[in-house]
Amino acid sequence: MKFVAALAALVTCAIAAGAPPAVAQERQPQSWPEVKCARYKTAWAEALSRRGTRGLGREFLDRHEAFIASGCTTKADVCPRSEEELALANIMVVAAMNAGTASTFPPFACRK
């Protein structure tokens, strides 16, 4: 549990730092859903780089990547089945909430 809490704190710091400031002429202002997705994508990358993918199934990773590729708009259908997947899902829920999104923003749900 200490590892999960520490990793969640590190991911939260990465989100809070945000992306480097963009030159105003290069980018249009982003909508709030785009900002949330960008923050979430950064947190996901940070969590994977620190934690790795050991214990994460292909379906879990593929469905999560599809969520991010959709601009974080697809229906929640990423089901954490292993202990490692559940730990990462918990980290991402905390990171998303710390980034200013609702706890329902992440794509984790088991429908069956």
Side-chain angles (χ1 to χ4, degrees), residues 8-81:
L10 290 171
V11 170
T12 299
C13 290
I15 290 174
V23 176
Q25 296 170 345
E26 292 178 13
R27 299 175 81 183
Q28 296 294 327
Q30 293 182 323
S31 68
W32 178 232
E34 291 170 323
V35 169
K36 289 190 297 186
C37 190
R39 290 178 181 178
Y40 186 84
K41 183 178 179 180
T42 298
W44 176 254
E46 182 72 18
L48 288 181
S49 74
R50 291 182 180 276
R51 183 194 177 291
T53 59
R54 193 182 119 256
L56 306 180
R58 186 80 259 150
E59 182 179 8
F60 179 84
L61 292 169
D62 288 347
R63 287 184 180 273
H64 196 277
E65 289 304 321
F67 171 73
I68 291 174
S70 77
C72 305
T73 60
T74 59
K75 183 177 178 180
D77 72 346
V78 181
C79 182
R81 298 186 190 282

